Amino acid sequence: MPRSEKWTLADRLDFEALVAADERATDLAAIAARDARLWEEKIAPSLNAEERSNRATVFHRWLEARRPGEILPGKWFTSTSRWFNASAILAGLVLGFAVASGALYYAGERPVNIAVFLAVTVGVQWILLLWTLVVMLSSGIRATSQHLLARLGEGIGQALASVADHLSGERRMRLRAELATLRQLSGRNLQPLVWTPLLALQSFGVFWNAGVLLALLARVLFTDVAFGWESTVANSPNGMYALVKALATPWLLFGLNFCPSLEQVEHSWFHYQSGMAALDRGATVSWWPWLILFVFVYGMIPRSLLRTYFRTRMRLAMRQLSFDEPRHRAAWHRLTGPVIHSNRPVSEATPSSQHGFTATSVTRAQIGCLLVDTSLVSAKGEIEQWVAKQLGWKLACSEVVEVDYPSGNDAALARVAATLPAAPCWLIAVPAPFTAFSAFTQFAARVGALTNETTKSEGFVVVVALDAQGKPKAPDPEWMRYWSDFLRAEETGCVTFSYAP
Amino acid sequence: MSTNDLPVIAILGDVNHGKSSVVATLAEDDSVRIGAFPTTTQCQRFRVRDLLEFVDTPGFQNAREALRELKEAGTASNPLSVFRDFVARHKDDRFFVHEVRLLEPVLEGASLLYVVDLAQPLEPRHDAETEILRLTGAPRIALLNQTGEPRYRAEWEARLRQNFSTVIDFDAHRADFSNRLALLEALATVDLAGKAKLRKAVEVLKQDREDKLDTTARIIVDLLSDLLTDKHVEALRDPLRVAAQRREVEERFREKLIAHELEAHREIIRAFAHQRVAVNEDGAREWLSDGLFVERTWSLLGLSGWRLLAAGAGGGALVGAKIDLMFGGATWGLGAAVGGAVGGGAALAGSRTAPGFKARLPYFSRAIVGTELVAGPIKHDNFPWIVLDRALGIFVSVSRRAHARQDRETLDAAALAARLQSTKAGSDQAPDDLRRTLAKAFRDMRKNRFNDDQRDATVGALREWLREVSQ
């Protein structure tokens, strides 16, 4: 994604919602006409030649053009995440302040135990962080948690399958297609969503530490408080002093000499037997700068670093998002698709597209292979013309295949394989009605394997019906819908078109 | 034969060739899911009482590929072991999920019905399907279904006769009871192992059909008996508002009769296990859009003028003859002649008009609080014939309706009359003997002289008629 186009998570959500809605639409001609109009009137005029071939830029403009009048999740997501983040900040500040205030309770009978104070304010955070680290690093725990998640997913899957079994064929296929889309969304394209709650969690942590520091400062500045340490097993203050000094190393290195001396440590060692009278007031007070720096260095800074890390990861994830899912490519071809004059001489007049709009070429003519099912052989010529006209392809080869016979078609597929390096796009023309879907899945997998071996290629499917005379016509919308759902559910990665004469 | 020892019949074929429709019709179960798209990946079992089990299988979706692996069954000593290996090998293979499922009943030893649609072209994958079924060695029959113009009959028949010893025309949406029986009998001839049980099933189904006819005849006779004697009685509440309460009583009586008829129609539909056929509360809209007391019903159904005249004249003449007898024959049959003329004339005059519901006070009584207002019974001569025709209309519709049909049927009075005419099931088309028996029964019902023996005789006569018109 180019840096010039700033995609936010809200943008991406809105974009995915729009392309997903288009994918479910039944009136394909209407959405093609809409996109052709948007391209012509709003997108193309504002872009230069280089920008027109950049999907991120084009799609961003398309999104901006479509947003007015649409109810989209991005705005809702933005306000919700802001609210969520603000709540996390407020909750962190209030809870940190409250917990620290409780730990700083002092009524003159015994000093505030610094170990307890640090345990409930900073220690808890470290325990949670360490636990997260253990989970991330420990293969056993990770495997167990993954196993549990898998079992949960399996249970949900079985429940859905039993529900789906009561649905009609087309509804079950619709459900499968929607689940496949959700899987794709959650798998890659909406990964940045995961970082949103993690960022809020780090905001909570940062402001928890801020609350702790505020409570500590308020207590020290405006009330009388004494700090001390206790131990049953210690024989001398030397060990405690060494520990305190070691912990203060980070700020001592920067010349901030805020660390109790050995005498101060010794005179803030509380024993119930001796009581408060045995402690030195100066020594008990001397701890507070050390405590503030401790909370700052071991609490505030790690959480701030983590927050920065998550924010960076989220930005990186946003940059790594691509636009190569079938639904994205379908939208791309709608926008730039009716490439009518792309491979014609410049002097030739630009004919109108089927929707009455004058299409502007944005891509060079691609070279592709056409595979026509044997049942459509009577319409092969028209289909070839349609491909050339609607997709702007120059056909490197056009073969007749039996899509219900995956292991057959050797000769035709060998010719396709020979052509593919120079022709990275392939399109299968399939009939509607059609029933051998499992066979087609296997056939498409074979074609996919063949083309992936050769080159990184793009696959398309065009659904064609025949009239009584064997001429091609647009398929029945229900069959088109079923084909489209089936290809989504099988995650073939193919863009689906409806033939329109 | 299956492990539970019931004959199992698996229905196989390509998607959208009518497998589920055939199952629905054969099992008389309209809950079978039927759709243009692949409806299921699982086998669905439908048991017909404890006689048979029909298995609706998923359609073939990768037959040509499957055949490549199953071909060796042709030379194997135990062909089914090749199929078992195939199922085990591809248990979790998404490319063969349908083939694995549809072979399950085959491995259980089911007889096979292969369904093809003559409106769809024969394609290479269909050759693969028939070849797979041949390789199973299971008893099998091919059914020629047709969802549209049977343009490809010749190709299908030629090919199927190569792999099936028996090929039968079976239109799942029009098949009647006799077609179902013929199919099962054909299956009994090819399935040597299940022959005895299939024959027994045929016999039980025949008896079952007889029971349904008997049930329907009893429902209709009881309905007529009830409606002809039914009345509604209410005590007068306010002598100053007699007219208003009279209208209320008349309306309640009308509703009571309609509800009674509706319930009888529902019982007939239930007897034939049609779940998708519903009868609505508001005037039996689902099947009969015109209500019982709508003028159009009365103008189109029931006995026509002369037949009603004959029935009415018969009643009048009987009364007249009794008068003749009282006078020892001195009236020279004049009583019978006058009675016949009066009765027939009265019947002819009012035969095509819906009856009124005049609620009345008993004769010679005054309108005081507590006096009974009475509506009914309806004396109109054509009333029982109209009720009978409506019940017969429901009967011929449900008894001839294949369970594969998904549509909802609504008949107005004209359509109902036309259907009765075309099926020769209307009271006007009934044999004279039956009409005379019924006319006498109606008279006796009205006079509360309809005893059990007479009821059985009437039910018997009506059952014979129902059997005839349900073919």
Side-chain angles (χ1 to χ4, degrees):
Chain A
M1 188 182 295
R3 284 169 194 277
S4 55
E5 279 303 333
K6 193 188 170 197
W7 278 79
T8 63
L9 197 46
D11 289 342
R12 188 69 193 205
L13 278 173
D14 288 350
F15 175 73
E16 291 295 344
L18 287 172
V19 289
D22 286 350
E23 198 176 33
R24 283 188 289 268
T26 48
D27 191 350
L28 299 179
I31 61 171
R34 179 205 63 205
D35 285 345
R37 188 187 306 116
L38 288 177
W39 173 260
E40 190 64 22
E41 294 172 1
K42 297 193 173 173
I43 302 171
S46 64
L47 299 174
N48 60 36
E50 192 186 349
E51 286 169 333
R52 283 181 191 180
S53 58
N54 184 302
R55 286 191 188 181
T57 307
V58 169
F59 279 144
H60 202 269
R61 299 290 165 89
W62 177 77
L63 175 65
E64 290 306 322
R66 282 203 62 194
R67 256 190 182 136
E70 298 277 359
I71 298 170
L72 295 167
K75 199 174 172 184
W76 174 86
F77 173 79
T78 307
S79 60
T80 305
S81 58
R82 273 188 194 145
W83 178 87
F84 191 57
N85 209 36
S87 303
I89 288 171
L90 189 66
L93 199 63
V94 170
L95 279 173
F97 190 89
V99 169
S101 299
L104 289 170
Y105 175 76
Y106 175 66
E109 294 165 357
R110 55 180 291 199
V112 173
N113 188 329
I114 56 166
V116 172
F117 173 75
L118 292 178
V120 299
T121 54
V122 182
V124 170
Q125 298 180 61
W126 276 96
I127 288 168
L128 289 174
L129 280 175
L130 283 173
W131 171 247
T132 311
L133 206 64
V134 167
V135 169
M136 284 169 72
L137 297 179
S138 157
S139 57
I141 294 175
R142 199 169 60 239
T144 308
S145 56
Q146 279 174 353
H147 178 68
L148 285 172
L149 279 174
R151 289 285 298 275
L152 183 68
E154 200 179 317
I156 293 170
Q158 278 173 357
L160 277 174
S162 61
V163 168
D165 207 38
H166 295 284
L167 299 174
S168 64
E170 59 271 37
R171 285 191 177 177
R172 196 173 53 252
M173 189 55 83
R174 173 67 49 82
L175 181 66
R176 281 187 59 203
E178 298 297 354
L179 287 175
T181 303
L182 274 178
R183 229 178 4 253
Q184 288 170 0
L185 282 173
S186 60
R188 192 150 65 97
N189 289 297
L190 291 186
Q191 229 178 29
L193 274 181
V194 177
W195 301 112
T196 307
L198 287 174
L199 261 176
L201 194 66
Q202 299 320 313
S203 297
F204 173 87
V206 169
F207 281 86
W208 162 281
N209 289 299
V212 171
L213 288 174
L214 274 177
L216 189 57
L217 274 173
R219 201 83 168 89
V220 170
L221 290 176
F222 304 116
T223 64
D224 178 33
V225 66
F227 298 97
W229 61 282
E230 299 168 21
S231 176
T232 309
V233 294
N235 293 322
S236 75
N238 291 339
M240 186 62 181
Y241 174 68
L243 178 66
V244 166
K245 199 167 179 190
L247 288 170
T249 306
W251 58 90
L252 289 175
L253 287 174
F254 285 93
L256 296 170
N257 198 19
F258 295 116
C259 181
S261 64
L262 179 61
E263 290 75 27
Q264 286 170 328
V265 171
E266 186 180 358
H267 289 116
S268 57
W269 187 1
F270 177 74
H271 307 272
Y272 276 99
Q273 199 174 12
S274 312
M276 282 296 288
L279 301 182
D280 177 59
R281 179 174 152 68
T284 58
V285 173
S286 69
W287 282 92
W288 74 265
W290 183 88
L291 284 171
I292 282 179
L293 282 166
F294 185 94
V295 173
F296 184 75
V297 170
Y298 293 104
M300 181 80 99
I301 288 179
R303 300 310 288 259
S304 302
L305 288 175
L306 273 174
R307 192 169 185 280
T308 310
Y309 169 74
F310 286 132
R311 184 173 280 278
T312 310
R313 284 293 302 269
M314 186 171 153
R315 283 183 180 158
L316 281 175
M318 282 300 297
R319 283 184 190 172
Q320 284 163 358
L321 290 179
S322 63
F323 294 95
D324 57 1
E325 295 292 339
R327 59 184 176 282
H328 304 148
R329 286 191 283 129
W332 178 250
H333 282 279
R334 281 201 305 276
L335 283 168
T336 65
V339 189
I340 293 162
H341 65 283
S342 57
N343 54 352
R344 288 164 191 255
V346 178
S347 57
E348 191 173 331
T350 305
S352 294
S353 75
Q354 57 174 315
H355 310 300
F357 299 100
T358 307
T360 309
S361 173
V362 292
T363 55
R364 286 184 301 276
Q366 296 187 51
I367 302 175
C369 294
L370 175 65
L371 306 171
V372 180
D373 182 55
T374 185
S375 63
L376 299 171
V377 74
S378 64
K380 187 164 173 270
E382 281 101 331
I383 295 170
E384 285 170 355
Q385 284 173 17
W386 183 88
V387 171
K389 186 178 171 189
Q390 296 298 325
L391 302 179
W393 285 14
K394 186 176 177 184
L395 286 177
C397 70
S398 174
E399 299 290 339
V400 175
V401 291
E402 293 178 290
V403 297
D404 64 350
Y405 192 26
S407 63
N409 309 297
D410 289 342
L413 291 181
R415 285 193 290 276
V416 171
T419 320
L420 272 172
C425 297
W426 49 272
L427 180 139
I428 309 174
V430 294
F434 179 80
T435 52
F437 284 101
S438 295
F440 181 79
T441 312
Q442 203 174 3
F443 176 76
R446 191 174 171 207
V447 174
L450 176 82
T451 53
N452 285 335
E453 273 172 19
T454 321
T455 176
K456 185 172 170 16
S457 59
E458 282 191 305
F460 303 84
V461 168
V462 59
V463 184
V464 187
L466 293 180
D467 63 16
Q469 284 74 45
K471 297 281 176 197
K473 64 173 187 176
D476 179 90
E478 283 187 26
W479 270 107
M480 183 60 211
R481 179 76 269 156
Y482 195 85
W483 258 112
S484 170
D485 286 342
F486 161 73
L487 292 169
R488 281 165 64 204
E490 290 292 330
E491 298 182 48
T492 54
C494 293
V495 176
T496 320
F497 293 116
S498 169
Y499 180 86
Chain B
M1 302 291 282
S2 72
T3 47
N4 60 16
D5 226 23
L6 276 185
V8 176
I9 299 163
I11 288 81
L12 303 112
D14 198 356
V15 176
N16 206 13
H17 276 233
K19 293 186 305 301
S20 299
S21 299
V22 168
V23 173
T25 298
L26 289 178
E28 288 199 330
D29 189 336
D30 54 13
S31 68
V32 180
R33 280 204 304 273
I34 297 169
F37 303 101
T39 49
T40 180
T41 54
Q42 304 289 333
C43 287
Q44 305 206 34
R45 291 170 183 267
F46 300 89
R47 186 173 282 204
V48 180
R49 298 170 58 179
D50 277 332
L51 300 169
L52 293 164
E53 189 169 75
F54 291 101
V55 185
D56 187 13
T57 62
F60 281 100
Q61 285 210 7
N62 204 354
R64 298 177 78 181
E65 251 350 270
L67 180 61
R68 286 180 71 236
E69 296 187 37
L70 294 169
K71 257 182 183 159
E72 60 185 276
T75 52
S77 56
N78 180 4
L80 281 187
S81 67
V82 177
F83 283 83
R84 276 197 193 91
D85 291 347
F86 176 86
V87 168
R89 202 161 50 245
H90 294 292
K91 198 159 55 86
D92 300 316
D93 188 342
R94 69 187 176 121
F95 298 137
F96 292 107
V97 62
H98 296 83
E99 279 67 23
V100 166
R101 293 277 182 271
L102 67 86
L103 286 174
E104 282 171 5
V106 177
L107 295 176
E108 287 172 22
S111 309
L112 313 181
L113 292 180
Y114 179 65
V115 181
V116 303
D117 181 7
L118 299 179
Q120 298 190 40
L122 176 71
E123 291 180 19
R125 66 171 181 275
H126 299 125
D127 286 335
E129 291 169 10
T130 55
E131 180 61 9
I132 288 172
L133 298 186
R134 188 187 70 78
L135 290 170
T136 63
R140 59 196 181 280
I141 286 179
L143 295 188
L144 305 176
N145 188 27
Q146 53 189 71
T147 58
E149 179 70 23
R151 285 191 288 167
Y152 305 97
R153 173 180 282 279
E155 293 97 310
W156 276 111
E157 275 197 21
R159 189 56 52 87
L160 290 172
R161 292 206 185 280
Q162 293 175 340
N163 285 325
F164 294 85
S165 58
T166 310
V167 180
I168 297 177
D169 269 301
F170 191 87
D171 185 339
H173 288 91
R174 292 185 182 168
D176 60 17
F177 182 67
S178 60
N179 296 134
R180 288 174 58 213
L181 286 191
L183 175 58
L184 291 177
E185 277 166 353
L187 206 55
T189 61
V190 296
D191 184 0
L192 298 178
K195 188 174 189 171
K197 289 193 170 158
L198 283 167
R199 289 255 155 85
K200 187 186 162 206
V202 168
E203 289 309 313
V204 175
L205 288 175
K206 278 181 183 168
Q207 184 54 49
D208 187 50
R209 181 74 172 186
E210 283 300 305
D211 292 346
K212 283 176 183 169
L213 297 176
D214 191 68
T215 304
T216 308
R218 282 178 194 285
I219 292 167
I220 294 174
V221 169
D222 289 347
L223 170 71
L224 288 162
S225 172
D226 290 345
L227 293 196
L228 288 178
T229 53
D230 223 348
K231 57 185 179 183
H232 185 69
V233 181
E234 267 185 35
L236 187 63
R237 292 189 298 271
D238 183 356
L240 298 176
R241 300 189 66 244
V242 176
Q245 195 178 349
R246 190 174 264 165
R247 280 194 296 277
E248 285 175 21
V249 170
E250 288 163 0
E251 189 51 37
R252 283 197 195 105
F253 179 51
R254 186 199 305 267
E255 284 170 4
K256 190 175 169 185
L257 295 181
I258 289 171
H260 207 129
E261 190 201 33
L262 202 60
E263 187 48 42
H265 290 177
R266 284 193 181 127
E267 281 181 41
I268 295 171
I269 291 167
R270 270 199 295 272
F272 286 87
H274 279 286
Q275 293 167 35
R276 285 181 188 273
V277 177
V279 178
N280 289 347
E281 294 293 341
D282 49 347
R285 283 244 173 96
E286 198 65 42
W287 277 87
L288 307 176
S289 59
D290 290 332
L292 177 58
F293 297 108
V294 171
E295 283 299 335
R296 205 155 45 155
T297 298
W298 284 74
S299 66
L300 292 165
L301 300 179
L303 288 184
S304 57
W306 288 108
R307 288 215 165 88
L308 190 64
L309 178 71
L318 208 62
V319 175
K322 282 179 183 170
I323 296 171
D324 288 338
L325 277 175
M326 280 170 64
F327 289 96
T331 50
W332 294 88
L334 193 63
V338 171
V342 169
L348 188 61
S351 66
R352 294 299 187 195
T353 320
F357 287 88
K358 275 224 156 156
R360 63 184 190 283
L361 293 166
Y363 297 117
F364 311 116
S365 61
R366 294 174 59 199
I368 56 173
V369 174
T371 309
E372 288 180 336
L373 265 173
V374 183
I378 293 179
K379 301 287 188 191
H380 196 294
D381 287 303
N382 219 353
F383 179 58
W385 301 103
I386 282 167
V387 172
L388 176 66
D389 271 356
R390 285 166 64 83
L392 288 170
I394 295 285
F395 168 75
V396 288
S397 297
V398 293
S399 66
R400 289 170 173 234
R401 182 185 163 97
H403 285 70
R405 281 178 60 180
Q406 304 272 298
D407 60 312
R408 297 224 158 186
E409 214 173 2
T410 308
L411 301 172
D412 61 12
L416 179 61
R419 175 161 297 178
L420 290 172
Q421 184 80 31
S422 66
T423 54
K424 296 188 170 39
S427 54
D428 238 8
Q429 288 84 31
D432 291 342
D433 288 352
L434 175 66
R435 212 165 33 240
R436 272 197 292 276
T437 305
L438 289 172
K440 180 170 186 324
F442 297 156
R443 281 197 297 274
D444 289 340
M445 285 171 186
R446 282 184 157 138
K447 290 175 183 169
N448 287 319
R449 289 197 316 225
F450 192 59
N451 59 35
D452 286 349
D453 290 343
Q454 212 177 346
R455 179 174 179 268
D456 288 344
T458 313
V459 166
L462 189 58
R463 186 178 56 227
E464 293 305 313
W465 174 236
L466 295 180
R467 185 183 301 115
E468 201 169 312
V469 299
S470 66
Q471 299 298 327

